[in-house]
Amino acid sequence: MHVLSVRDLRKRYVLGESAVQALDGIDLTLERGEFVAIMGPSGSGKSTFMQIAGMLDTPTSGEYLFEGADVSSLNADARAAIRSRRLGFVFQAYNLLPRTTALDNVELPMVYAGVPDAQRRQTALEKMTLVGVDRLADHHPNQMSGGQQQRVAIARALVNDPALILADEPTGALDTKTSADVMRILARLNEEQGSTIMLVTHEPDIAAYAGRIVTFRDGRIVADVRNDRRAA
Amino acid sequence: MTLRATLRLALAALVRNKARSLLTMLGIVIGVAAVIVTVAIGAGARISVQSSIDSLGSNLIVVQPGSVTTSGARSGFGGASTLTPADGMAIASLPGVASVSPVVTVRTQVVAGGNNWQTTVSGVAPTYTFVRLQSVASGRFFSQNEVASSAKVAVLGQTVVDQLFPNGGSPLGSTIIVKGAPFSVIGVMTPLGQSAMGQDQDDTVLIPYTSAMERLTGETTVNSLLVSAASSDDVDLAQQEITQLLEQRHRIVPPQGDDFQVRNLQSIAQAASQTSAVMEFLLAGVAAVSLLVGGIGIMNIMMVSVTERTREIGLRMAVGAPGRTILHQFLTESIVLATIGGFIGVAIGLAGTALVALLARWPTAVPFQWVVASVVFAALVGIFFGYAPARKAASLHPIEALRFE
């Protein structure tokens, strides 16, 4: 079964008088266990696609099957319910809650998914161990480096065992060495845990960690290639 | 999401911003404290007015003679000499009346041994103790027989005892001289203290009214009749009966005016307690306005807080919080803030009330329903003023909220 399958997906933004066709007929299928990088210049529609794939937004038209179910016309609450159970997000700006411990940050998605207290703690610590930040459990975001914060954010994306992890420019705010650390963690999760990952980036070095590279331009897919020489 | 989970989320958010949370609830704290203190002082004032009126006597009705016109000059009420002890007897037999005591007052010098003192000598009946709710501290009051025989016996108020017998020791059995007539002291009244009007109610000498009429005034009329109604419900009825009875006895036919006046203290008491109740509500109203201002403060800070936490809201939505959960969280935050503020306000209000009672020696009373009402009102303020910010938070779009700088 496909994790994600879209057919003729379109998104049109109307800004006052002018309209922008952000997505202009996207067809894409993601298999379980794939690690896909979405590339393209700014304005190519890759972020818009990421938001629709992450059910933060809805398409103007087209079909979106997530784990076999049509989700293109679900209401906000139904989409929120899927996000809390089946999707994991990693953002460029980490987006950890300030003045909140790393552990509590990692537990957050489980709060909304209704996971019991004790299990939340255990799962959060497990995932933090997986990405190597378990010893930072009691730290607040302002006591952590950017790389550490992003790893905590990755742990947060893992706690609900999502069908798909969406990473939007996860290394955009990091230096080269830390970027490589974060990318190695994602690659390892993909290989060892079988996590399905969709990564948005405009840096070829970063995209090189993925097994498949899809290039967007002007709201269309212009290239979809297998990457056999993955960076490590 | 469960109520408990929402509550925990809200509490965590409030604890994360302790300083701001405390500042936000300050308006509510001050508002509630102000309500409690003002209401406590108002209620205390009302209770003290009521109790000083109660101390005048049980269901007391005062009958005084009317005014008299002498060479065109009208005396005030009590100037005429129209009331007699017989009027008093007649009144005593009315159904709504419990007992009656005539009062004959003379302001004069009283002498005991080497000491003398000007005081009010009142001729009264044995029923006086019942009508005034005053008892004898030592010795005894005079009897009906002593009234019938115009006995020369006296019961002293504490102030008179202090002035005439400054060396201590019991005045019982001593003799005092009133207008040249010797009276033997048979009792001392329990002290009443000051009246509501500031008069010393213990500066008095009580003798049988018959003795006062024969030996002091030489008249057949009395200054007033003190009447005790059978019950507080009967006061108005008794007042009407007395008026009718005296009109008959004094053969007054309209348009002739009454030559007497019947007053009851209940109406004075009601007026006084109504006045203080009005004050109490007025003060509480002012305090409630400050609560409202506190609520607006909450709304302001919550609005700022929602803006400041836009990215947090975006993140919560992205990881699966539905809009209504966000709404509930922010609404709960403002309710919790306002309610905690309410409780702190009650605590400070009670402490402030105790301080006022202690330092200003002001009578205070904290009506429990006001405590409950002000906490509930604070919570309602939280709901009312928290709704708009919570609504704003819930209506954010996750993508835009996440991008917010």
Side-chain angles (χ1 to χ4, degrees):
Chain A
M1 188 176 60
H2 308 308
V3 171
L4 169 149
S5 168
V6 299
R7 196 177 305 276
D8 196 27
L9 200 70
R10 291 170 192 274
K11 179 69 178 182
R12 188 180 171 82
Y13 291 112
V14 179
L15 299 163
E17 303 262 304
S18 62
V20 178
Q21 190 73 36
L23 294 180
D24 195 11
I26 300 290
D27 295 287
L28 188 72
T29 301
L30 227 66
E31 302 294 335
R32 190 178 299 277
E34 269 196 289
F35 185 177
V36 183
I38 309 275
M39 291 201 66
S42 43
S44 61
K46 61 184 195 298
S47 287
T48 303
F49 179 68
M50 175 71 106
Q51 286 155 8
I52 292 174
M55 288 177 230
L56 293 169
D57 207 348
T58 50
T60 311
S61 69
E63 184 188 69
Y64 175 11
L65 299 180
F66 181 78
E67 295 194 295
D70 186 0
V71 294
S72 52
S73 56
L74 289 179
N75 66 24
D77 284 357
R79 283 184 279 129
I82 295 178
R83 287 200 299 272
S84 74
R85 288 176 175 82
R86 302 304 296 156
L87 290 171
F89 289 92
V90 181
F91 304 96
Q92 176 176 351
Y94 329 131
N95 282 325
L96 299 178
L97 296 188
R99 293 180 288 276
T100 305
T101 64
L103 186 65
D104 285 343
N105 264 296
V106 173
E107 284 187 26
L108 190 66
M110 293 186 280
V111 172
Y112 294 110
V115 177
D117 277 14
Q119 198 192 325
R120 282 213 304 252
R121 182 142 297 241
Q122 192 196 333
T123 309
L125 280 170
E126 266 171 35
K127 304 299 182 190
M128 289 177 85
T129 309
L130 199 60
V131 297
V133 288
D134 45 318
R135 63 193 170 78
L136 300 176
D138 295 330
H139 287 49
H140 287 187
N142 61 358
Q143 299 167 315
M144 292 184 260
S145 70
Q148 288 171 332
Q149 289 188 59
Q150 193 60 301
R151 284 197 279 170
V152 170
I154 292 171
R156 181 181 62 194
L158 294 173
V159 288
N160 288 331
D161 290 322
L164 178 61
I165 295 170
L166 295 153
D168 190 358
E169 305 267 14
T171 59
L174 301 174
D175 61 41
T176 316
K177 186 184 170 298
T178 319
S179 294
D181 289 344
V182 167
M183 288 316 296
R184 273 197 289 273
I185 288 172
L186 288 178
R188 186 163 56 83
L189 287 172
N190 172 242
E191 280 160 24
E192 296 173 8
Q193 309 289 317
S195 304
T196 312
I197 301 173
M198 188 162 89
L199 166 85
V200 166
T201 182
H202 58 266
E203 293 176 69
D205 302 0
I206 298 301
Y209 286 86
R212 178 182 171 194
I213 301 175
V214 177
T215 309
F216 276 51
R217 181 159 297 154
D218 298 331
R220 293 167 187 273
I221 292 174
V222 294
D224 186 348
V225 297
R226 189 153 296 281
N227 176 25
D228 294 325
R229 300 183 54 200
R230 291 174 64 173
Chain B
M1 243 174 122
T2 64
L3 185 67
R4 199 167 141 262
T6 310
L7 206 61
R8 273 175 51 180
L9 271 186
L11 279 175
L14 293 178
V15 169
R16 232 188 295 145
N17 283 298
K18 285 186 203 73
R20 182 171 62 196
S21 302
L22 284 174
L23 285 175
T24 310
M25 61 173 82
L26 204 57
I28 295 286
V29 170
I30 292 171
V32 169
V35 169
I36 298 290
V37 172
T38 51
V39 167
I41 291 173
R46 191 168 51 170
I47 289 170
S48 82
V49 166
Q50 188 60 51
S51 70
S52 65
I53 285 168
D54 285 348
S55 77
L56 291 174
S58 63
N59 316 319
L60 193 63
I61 298 171
V62 181
V63 185
Q64 283 185 307
S67 81
V68 66
T69 306
T70 318
S71 324
R74 297 171 68 217
S75 75
F77 281 121
S81 303
T82 51
L83 289 178
T84 62
D87 285 334
M89 307 282 198
I91 289 170
S93 61
L94 288 172
V97 171
S99 76
V100 179
S101 172
V103 180
V104 180
T105 53
V106 174
R107 185 132 188 105
T108 184
Q109 215 70 19
V110 179
V111 183
N115 299 302
N116 74 88
W117 181 249
Q118 192 183 51
T119 186
T120 306
V121 178
S122 299
V124 299
T127 47
Y128 181 83
T129 53
F130 174 79
V131 174
R132 288 296 312 268
L133 291 178
Q134 194 185 8
S135 58
V136 177
S138 62
R140 61 178 182 84
F141 208 78
F142 42 81
S143 67
Q144 197 57 49
N145 283 338
E146 284 165 317
V147 170
S149 63
S150 311
K152 288 186 277 184
V153 290
V155 180
L156 307 185
Q158 190 57 46
T159 304
V160 176
V161 172
D162 294 341
Q163 297 302 331
L164 293 184
F165 304 94
N167 301 327
S170 173
L172 298 183
S174 317
T175 301
I176 58 170
I177 311 293
V178 183
K179 282 207 171 176
F183 283 76
S184 63
V185 178
I186 58 167
V188 176
M189 300 302 283
T190 48
L192 281 181
Q194 286 198 345
S195 73
M197 293 79 186
Q199 271 175 337
D200 182 356
Q201 300 182 89
D202 302 321
D203 189 2
T204 184
V205 172
L206 301 175
I207 60 175
Y209 69 92
T210 46
S211 314
M213 288 161 72
E214 286 172 24
R215 298 176 201 282
L216 305 186
T217 64
E219 288 173 8
T220 55
T221 57
V222 300
N223 294 84
S224 62
L225 297 168
L226 292 183
V227 181
S228 179
S231 80
S232 59
D233 298 333
D234 289 337
V235 171
D236 288 336
L237 177 71
Q239 202 172 348
Q240 282 173 19
E241 288 176 347
I242 292 166
T243 306
Q244 280 174 8
L245 179 78
L246 289 182
E247 281 174 352
Q248 268 176 24
R249 288 179 59 89
H250 294 187
R251 297 194 175 78
I252 291 162
V253 279
Q256 203 184 344
D258 287 349
D259 61 353
F260 59 89
Q261 188 208 22
V262 184
R263 288 190 303 158
N264 95 54
L265 295 174
Q266 207 83 24
S267 56
I268 300 174
Q270 270 165 12
S273 72
Q274 262 167 18
T275 310
S276 54
V278 167
M279 277 303 288
E280 201 176 321
F281 270 97
L282 215 64
L283 289 170
V286 170
V289 168
S290 71
L291 252 183
L292 220 59
V293 174
I296 294 169
I298 286 197
M299 179 160 67
N300 270 326
I301 308 257
M302 290 301 289
M303 279 290 187
V304 172
S305 168
V306 166
T307 306
E308 195 188 290
R309 289 157 67 189
T310 298
R311 282 168 68 104
E312 172 192 330
I313 294 162
L315 173 81
R316 289 180 185 277
M317 286 177 159
V319 300
R324 72 170 179 285
T325 304
I326 300 287
L327 179 88
H328 290 165
Q329 181 191 332
F330 277 84
L331 202 52
T332 308
E333 278 183 32
S334 68
I335 296 170
V336 167
L337 268 183
T339 310
I340 292 177
F343 279 115
I344 295 176
V346 165
I348 291 178
L350 292 179
T353 302
L355 210 65
V356 167
L358 195 74
L359 296 184
R361 294 173 185 284
W362 201 289
T364 56
V366 184
F368 183 68
Q369 64 268 32
W370 274 97
V371 172
V372 175
S374 47
V375 172
V376 169
F377 190 67
L380 289 177
V381 162
I383 296 174
F384 187 77
F385 289 103
Y387 188 77
R391 183 79 233 154
K392 185 182 166 200
S395 61
L396 287 173
H397 194 282
I399 296 171
E400 281 152 28
L402 277 170
R403 263 198 224 125
F404 186 84
E405 292 297 332

PDB file of all heavy atoms in Angstrom, chain B residues 265-282:
ATOM      1  N   LEU B 265     -39.429  52.314  67.134  1.00  0.00           N
ATOM      2  CA  LEU B 265     -38.007  52.314  66.792  1.00  0.00           C
ATOM      3  C   LEU B 265     -37.710  51.390  65.633  1.00  0.00           C
ATOM      4  O   LEU B 265     -36.658  51.477  65.022  1.00  0.00           O
ATOM      5  CB  LEU B 265     -37.181  51.926  68.014  1.00  0.00           C
ATOM      6  CG  LEU B 265     -37.269  52.950  69.133  1.00  0.00           C
ATOM      7  CD1 LEU B 265     -36.565  52.441  70.359  1.00  0.00           C
ATOM      8  CD2 LEU B 265     -36.665  54.275  68.696  1.00  0.00           C
ATOM      9  N   GLN B 266     -38.708  50.524  65.348  1.00  0.00           N
ATOM     10  CA  GLN B 266     -38.520  49.613  64.231  1.00  0.00           C
ATOM     11  C   GLN B 266     -38.285  50.393  62.940  1.00  0.00           C
ATOM     12  O   GLN B 266     -37.421  50.061  62.157  1.00  0.00           O
ATOM     13  CB  GLN B 266     -39.777  48.743  64.076  1.00  0.00           C
ATOM     14  CG  GLN B 266     -39.512  47.406  63.448  1.00  0.00           C
ATOM     15  CD  GLN B 266     -39.020  46.407  64.471  1.00  0.00           C
ATOM     16  OE1 GLN B 266     -39.299  46.562  65.658  1.00  0.00           O
ATOM     17  NE2 GLN B 266     -38.272  45.420  64.032  1.00  0.00           N
ATOM     18  N   SER B 267     -39.074  51.457  62.767  1.00  0.00           N
ATOM     19  CA  SER B 267     -38.953  52.213  61.527  1.00  0.00           C
ATOM     20  C   SER B 267     -37.597  52.904  61.461  1.00  0.00           C
ATOM     21  O   SER B 267     -36.990  52.994  60.398  1.00  0.00           O
ATOM     22  CB  SER B 267     -40.099  53.214  61.388  1.00  0.00           C
ATOM     23  OG  SER B 267     -40.128  54.045  62.514  1.00  0.00           O
ATOM     24  N   ILE B 268     -37.133  53.363  62.647  1.00  0.00           N
ATOM     25  CA  ILE B 268     -35.799  53.980  62.663  1.00  0.00           C
ATOM     26  C   ILE B 268     -34.759  52.936  62.305  1.00  0.00           C
ATOM     27  O   ILE B 268     -33.861  53.172  61.496  1.00  0.00           O
ATOM     28  CB  ILE B 268     -35.495  54.561  64.064  1.00  0.00           C
ATOM     29  CG1 ILE B 268     -36.539  55.607  64.418  1.00  0.00           C
ATOM     30  CG2 ILE B 268     -34.092  55.137  64.100  1.00  0.00           C
ATOM     31  CD1 ILE B 268     -36.421  56.130  65.831  1.00  0.00           C
ATOM     32  N   ALA B 269     -34.931  51.754  62.887  1.00  0.00           N
ATOM     33  CA  ALA B 269     -33.986  50.666  62.638  1.00  0.00           C
ATOM     34  C   ALA B 269     -33.969  50.314  61.160  1.00  0.00           C
ATOM     35  O   ALA B 269     -32.911  50.142  60.554  1.00  0.00           O
ATOM     36  CB  ALA B 269     -34.358  49.445  63.464  1.00  0.00           C
ATOM     37  N   GLN B 270     -35.186  50.233  60.579  1.00  0.00           N
ATOM     38  CA  GLN B 270     -35.267  49.881  59.167  1.00  0.00           C
ATOM     39  C   GLN B 270     -34.585  50.926  58.297  1.00  0.00           C
ATOM     40  O   GLN B 270     -33.810  50.594  57.408  1.00  0.00           O
ATOM     41  CB  GLN B 270     -36.720  49.737  58.738  1.00  0.00           C
ATOM     42  CG  GLN B 270     -37.222  48.317  58.909  1.00  0.00           C
ATOM     43  CD  GLN B 270     -38.737  48.252  58.838  1.00  0.00           C
ATOM     44  OE1 GLN B 270     -39.379  49.206  58.444  1.00  0.00           O
ATOM     45  NE2 GLN B 270     -39.284  47.117  59.224  1.00  0.00           N
ATOM     46  N   ALA B 271     -34.867  52.180  58.610  1.00  0.00           N
ATOM     47  CA  ALA B 271     -34.268  53.255  57.822  1.00  0.00           C
ATOM     48  C   ALA B 271     -32.746  53.175  57.911  1.00  0.00           C
ATOM     49  O   ALA B 271     -32.042  53.263  56.896  1.00  0.00           O
ATOM     50  CB  ALA B 271     -34.755  54.605  58.319  1.00  0.00           C
ATOM     51  N   ALA B 272     -32.267  52.966  59.136  1.00  0.00           N
ATOM     52  CA  ALA B 272     -30.820  52.933  59.330  1.00  0.00           C
ATOM     53  C   ALA B 272     -30.199  51.758  58.581  1.00  0.00           C
ATOM     54  O   ALA B 272     -29.181  51.908  57.905  1.00  0.00           O
ATOM     55  CB  ALA B 272     -30.491  52.850  60.817  1.00  0.00           C
ATOM     56  N   SER B 273     -30.841  50.591  58.692  1.00  0.00           N
ATOM     57  CA  SER B 273     -30.218  49.429  58.051  1.00  0.00           C
ATOM     58  C   SER B 273     -30.387  49.499  56.540  1.00  0.00           C
ATOM     59  O   SER B 273     -29.544  49.018  55.791  1.00  0.00           O
ATOM     60  CB  SER B 273     -30.774  48.124  58.617  1.00  0.00           C
ATOM     61  OG  SER B 273     -32.081  47.937  58.181  1.00  0.00           O
ATOM     62  N   GLN B 274     -31.479  50.180  56.090  1.00  0.00           N
ATOM     63  CA  GLN B 274     -31.618  50.369  54.653  1.00  0.00           C
ATOM     64  C   GLN B 274     -30.516  51.276  54.128  1.00  0.00           C
ATOM     65  O   GLN B 274     -29.919  51.005  53.096  1.00  0.00           O
ATOM     66  CB  GLN B 274     -32.974  50.995  54.318  1.00  0.00           C
ATOM     67  CG  GLN B 274     -33.997  49.953  53.901  1.00  0.00           C
ATOM     68  CD  GLN B 274     -35.394  50.518  53.889  1.00  0.00           C
ATOM     69  OE1 GLN B 274     -35.582  51.723  53.874  1.00  0.00           O
ATOM     70  NE2 GLN B 274     -36.376  49.641  53.920  1.00  0.00           N
ATOM     71  N   THR B 275     -30.246  52.325  54.879  1.00  0.00           N
ATOM     72  CA  THR B 275     -29.190  53.251  54.471  1.00  0.00           C
ATOM     73  C   THR B 275     -27.871  52.516  54.329  1.00  0.00           C
ATOM     74  O   THR B 275     -27.161  52.662  53.328  1.00  0.00           O
ATOM     75  CB  THR B 275     -29.030  54.371  55.503  1.00  0.00           C
ATOM     76  OG1 THR B 275     -30.309  54.909  55.754  1.00  0.00           O
ATOM     77  CG2 THR B 275     -28.096  55.454  54.994  1.00  0.00           C
ATOM     78  N   SER B 276     -27.553  51.684  55.334  1.00  0.00           N
ATOM     79  CA  SER B 276     -26.251  51.026  55.255  1.00  0.00           C
ATOM     80  C   SER B 276     -26.261  49.930  54.185  1.00  0.00           C
ATOM     81  O   SER B 276     -25.237  49.653  53.580  1.00  0.00           O
ATOM     82  CB  SER B 276     -25.805  50.485  56.610  1.00  0.00           C
ATOM     83  OG  SER B 276     -26.787  49.657  57.148  1.00  0.00           O
ATOM     84  N   ALA B 277     -27.449  49.345  53.922  1.00  0.00           N
ATOM     85  CA  ALA B 277     -27.514  48.348  52.846  1.00  0.00           C
ATOM     86  C   ALA B 277     -27.263  49.030  51.507  1.00  0.00           C
ATOM     87  O   ALA B 277     -26.559  48.505  50.648  1.00  0.00           O
ATOM     88  CB  ALA B 277     -28.869  47.657  52.842  1.00  0.00           C
ATOM     89  N   VAL B 278     -27.829  50.219  51.337  1.00  0.00           N
ATOM     90  CA  VAL B 278     -27.611  50.969  50.099  1.00  0.00           C
ATOM     91  C   VAL B 278     -26.123  51.275  49.943  1.00  0.00           C
ATOM     92  O   VAL B 278     -25.536  51.081  48.884  1.00  0.00           O
ATOM     93  CB  VAL B 278     -28.437  52.276  50.096  1.00  0.00           C
ATOM     94  CG1 VAL B 278     -27.973  53.205  48.989  1.00  0.00           C
ATOM     95  CG2 VAL B 278     -29.912  51.959  49.935  1.00  0.00           C
ATOM     96  N   MET B 279     -25.512  51.717  51.045  1.00  0.00           N
ATOM     97  CA  MET B 279     -24.076  52.008  51.030  1.00  0.00           C
ATOM     98  C   MET B 279     -23.291  50.772  50.631  1.00  0.00           C
ATOM     99  O   MET B 279     -22.377  50.828  49.805  1.00  0.00           O
ATOM    100  CB  MET B 279     -23.598  52.470  52.413  1.00  0.00           C
ATOM    101  CG  MET B 279     -23.834  53.921  52.696  1.00  0.00           C
ATOM    102  SD  MET B 279     -23.036  54.956  51.447  1.00  0.00           S
ATOM    103  CE  MET B 279     -21.322  54.725  51.911  1.00  0.00           C
ATOM    104  N   GLU B 280     -23.703  49.641  51.245  1.00  0.00           N
ATOM    105  CA  GLU B 280     -23.008  48.381  50.999  1.00  0.00           C
ATOM    106  C   GLU B 280     -23.053  48.028  49.516  1.00  0.00           C
ATOM    107  O   GLU B 280     -22.040  47.697  48.909  1.00  0.00           O
ATOM    108  CB  GLU B 280     -23.711  47.300  51.814  1.00  0.00           C
ATOM    109  CG  GLU B 280     -22.901  46.074  52.098  1.00  0.00           C
ATOM    110  CD  GLU B 280     -23.701  45.136  52.988  1.00  0.00           C
ATOM    111  OE1 GLU B 280     -24.400  45.620  53.899  1.00  0.00           O
ATOM    112  OE2 GLU B 280     -23.651  43.937  52.740  1.00  0.00           O
ATOM    113  N   PHE B 281     -24.233  48.160  48.914  1.00  0.00           N
ATOM    114  CA  PHE B 281     -24.368  47.826  47.500  1.00  0.00           C
ATOM    115  C   PHE B 281     -23.595  48.795  46.628  1.00  0.00           C
ATOM    116  O   PHE B 281     -22.990  48.418  45.634  1.00  0.00           O
ATOM    117  CB  PHE B 281     -25.846  47.788  47.092  1.00  0.00           C
ATOM    118  CG  PHE B 281     -26.439  46.437  47.265  1.00  0.00           C
ATOM    119  CD1 PHE B 281     -27.164  46.128  48.398  1.00  0.00           C
ATOM    120  CD2 PHE B 281     -26.248  45.452  46.302  1.00  0.00           C
ATOM    121  CE1 PHE B 281     -27.688  44.864  48.578  1.00  0.00           C
ATOM    122  CE2 PHE B 281     -26.776  44.191  46.470  1.00  0.00           C
ATOM    123  CZ  PHE B 281     -27.495  43.898  47.619  1.00  0.00           C
ATOM    124  N   LEU B 282     -23.600  50.064  47.055  1.00  0.00           N
ATOM    125  CA  LEU B 282     -22.877  51.085  46.307  1.00  0.00           C
ATOM    126  C   LEU B 282     -21.392  50.767  46.290  1.00  0.00           C
ATOM    127  O   LEU B 282     -20.743  50.774  45.247  1.00  0.00           O
ATOM    128  CB  LEU B 282     -23.119  52.436  46.978  1.00  0.00           C
ATOM    129  CG  LEU B 282     -23.197  53.631  46.038  1.00  0.00           C
ATOM    130  CD1 LEU B 282     -24.390  53.513  45.115  1.00  0.00           C
ATOM    131  CD2 LEU B 282     -23.261  54.904  46.855  1.00  0.00           C
TER     132      LEU B 282
END
